[in-house]
Amino acid sequence: MKPVPLVGQYFHSFQNEKIHWQGAVIGNPESGWYLLQLCEWFFGEPSSRRLVRIEDMKDFVFYADSDEMKEAYDTKYSKTK
């Protein structure tokens, strides 16, 4: 299986078994670091950006696009937010 780059992927992160963040990976400025564009919950509009180490992303769930992320939220996670 060919590795998929994280830049361009969408994600949900979790804290205490509940969704904490949602957004997209928008950059890889330095090895081991990723720039995240977080999205707010109500309309899904971009909010803040965070620089995160790869080690802190081990429990993220990644998606190919925003539609896949929204579908996962609607069908799996909407009760855990």
Side-chain angles (χ1 to χ4, degrees):
M1 181 184 302
K2 182 179 177 183
V4 175
L6 287 180
V7 175
Q9 297 283 307
Y10 287 75
F11 66 87
H12 284 127
S13 72
F14 294 84
Q15 186 175 49
N16 299 322
E17 299 181 17
K18 294 185 180 182
I19 293 179
H20 180 62
W21 288 341
Q22 68 176 2
V25 181
I26 61 171
N28 180 216
E30 188 173 314
S31 180
W33 288 88
Y34 288 90
L35 182 60
L36 308 180
Q37 174 65 65
L38 303 182
C39 297
E40 54 94 26
W41 288 103
F42 194 68
F43 290 110
E45 294 295 319
S47 58
S48 60
R49 292 182 176 181
R50 301 287 168 103
L51 194 57
V52 178
R53 295 180 316 193
I54 187 66
E55 295 86 7
D56 296 330
M57 299 168 71
K58 68 182 183 315
D59 294 325
F60 283 26
V61 175
F62 293 95
Y63 309 98
D65 56 41
S66 61
D67 290 336
E68 187 179 335
M69 179 179 72
K70 183 182 180 325
E71 176 69 20
Y73 177 80
D74 290 344
T75 60
K76 297 179 185 177
Y77 304 121
S78 62
K79 294 172 182 56
T80 65
K81 181 176 170 271

